[in-house]
Amino acid sequence: PTTTTTTTTTAIMADDAAAMAVAAPGDAAMAVDRVWVPHPTHVWVLAKITRETDEGGIVAVPVTGGGEEEFAPSEVYPFDPSHVLDLDDISRFNNLAEAPLLDCLRRRFLKDQIYTHVGDVLISLNPYKRIPLLYDLDMHALVGRYNDAIEEEHDADVDVLEPEQQQQRAPQSERPHVYTVADRAFRCLTSARLGSAAAEDHKVKPNQSIIISGESGAGKTEASKHVMRYLISVSQIMTGDLRIVDGGDGEDGAHEKDDAAEFIEHMLLESNVILEAFGNAKTMRNDNSSRFGKYIRLLYSDDFRITGAETEHFLLERSRLVSVATGERNYHVFYQITQGVADEEREALHLGLPETFRLCSMGETLHVSERVDDAGEWENTVRALELLGVSPEELAATKVFLAALLHLGNMDFSDTKLLSDGRTEPCSILPAEVGVMEVAEMLGTDGKHLRSCIVSRMITSGRGSVAVKHLTREECIANVNGCIKFLYTNLFSWLVRKINHEHGALSKGTQATSFIGILDVFGFEIMRHNSFEQLCINFA
């Protein structure tokens, strides 16, 4: 972690003084007769104290309007004149509490200032809209800070700075932004590796990690993409793979990327397409909710070149595969393949539209929104799989595997019946358009064995004797659901291993000596029926 520099802090304090003079005239008087009171809409609002009750309560009028309301002293927060300021760093409020923090975030949000510092922590509020220029990278500023390209190696007019000199350059503004967090991590990485005095003073460790957490729909996955994009760009500048070429006559030049660096960037970002297709789903609060957690390590060589990446995943929401709340969807890939697969493959795989499969129709919601085309997204997913080194044979097998899971989910069973002679007729698999034999062939297993495992259970006694127990309809359905969850989890793990293998191949033998980790934590969410995975996430 780093702190803001003296220069930046002084500038902010000067702005604060001007704002204080305008927004809070008569500071002492205002602080005495103002308090923060609870509000049903804004959670907390500022109120003016009109009187105190004989029982020690407070009667106040909210500044948002309305009549007098009585509050117990334990229900209100004291007000400080600094609370009305628009600060980039809320930790600099006097008497900081929940009320002024939420009020400041609300005021900034209404001005499209979605990022706010609280010390070394960055708070982000999802605007659910595009804010112009918010994520535009100032390449000239980055090159001026990080470029250590050697003039003789590149036919371009660039500044030549040694790494130590780069660290001494005036740092970029510590304005609240996801890029600021990424920049801080990269500076800590380079400072530690270069043995700078700052690193020794703060005992900075070479490896860094950025934790991105929040409720579902807060924008964690998008934030992790922007962090990755920034870290890739500054790495390319440090190694000379990205540089600004002088446009002449004082005009801004365009930035150029080395072909190999551009390929690495494309590979790293395309892996998100695969993970989102197989690991994201529509929930009540988020059309593209990550239903798993992931930790991505960007690997760096001695010269700070990104040599590859490693991805670890955890807590994939397996229960979603067989149980989806009304208004939600299963994983995107099931809707993509049923909407976007080619006609000849559709016939060979016996695939219908999403509404013909239980796994897709459980939530009674077949589309994300009018803006999302599942057929087009399937093309993007296939293209990303091919780019990440999935062979034509593996891609074909993946399609068959997904189709088999959809057909497996459509299996239904007869109820057990008590016969007239006292015997029980076991339940059986009901006829379907795609039967158990076809599903077994898709999965590469024996059909009779699969049927037996679904409708019966082998019980071994302590003496070694084996008995066959016929299952009830409910137990057969639980068997199928467990099979679907087990198979899909292994498919997802295989894809992550495939991604890691291709990312590791990017190094071309270069040894990684440090990393920056990006932890995208599964989103907190309270649903009508919460899965065990969701309980673990919310508890954590």
Side-chain angles (χ1 to χ4, degrees), residues 448-463:
K448 292 181 179 179
H449 182 64
L450 178 61
R451 182 198 301 272
S452 175
C453 290
I454 290 174
V455 301
S456 62
R457 180 183 305 157
M458 305 290 287
I459 300 176
T460 304
S461 69
R463 297 180 179 179

Side-chain angles (χ1 to χ4, degrees), residues 4-16:
T4 54
T5 62
T6 304
T7 306
T8 306
T9 305
T10 303
I12 292 176
M13 290 179 67
D15 292 341
D16 293 351

Side-chain angles (χ1 to χ4, degrees), residues 492-528:
F492 190 81
S493 297
W494 174 78
L495 287 169
V496 172
R497 289 196 301 272
K498 195 73 179 178
I499 290 172
N500 284 337
H501 179 269
E502 290 303 312
H503 285 172
L506 298 176
S507 64
K508 297 180 180 179
T510 304
Q511 181 66 34
T513 55
S514 56
F515 70 83
I516 294 180
I518 305 170
L519 178 61
D520 182 359
V521 181
F522 201 143
F524 179 96
E525 191 161 354
I526 299 176
M527 304 177 182
R528 186 183 299 273

Side-chain angles (χ1 to χ4, degrees), residues 42-43 46 77 89 117 126 170 191-192 217 237 245 251 272 292 313 325 330 352 356 361 403 430 432 438 467 492 494:
H42 299 307
V43 186
L46 200 59
Y77 279 123
D89 189 347
H117 279 307
N126 192 341
S191 296
I237 290 172
V245 181
E251 296 181 1
N272 284 316
F292 69 104
H313 74 281
N330 210 320
T356 63
S361 59
L430 295 176
E438 290 87 348
F492 190 81
W494 174 78

Side-chain angles (χ1 to χ4, degrees), residues 163-171:
E164 291 82 357
Q165 294 174 300
Q166 295 167 21
Q167 302 305 316
Q168 296 167 2
R169 272 286 188 100

Side-chain angles (χ1 to χ4, degrees), residues 280-319:
N280 286 24
K282 173 182 171 61
T283 67
M284 293 297 293
R285 303 183 60 185
N286 186 356
D287 287 347
N288 190 34
S289 177
S290 297
R291 309 314 299 164
F292 69 104
K294 64 177 178 289
Y295 182 54
I296 301 173
R297 282 190 292 265
L298 297 181
L299 308 177
Y300 292 85
S301 62
D302 280 330
D303 61 351
F304 308 114
R305 186 186 305 275
I306 292 180
T307 64
E310 293 177 351
T311 300
E312 295 180 22
H313 74 281
F314 55 93
L315 281 179
L316 177 69
E317 189 183 26
R318 297 184 299 170
S319 58

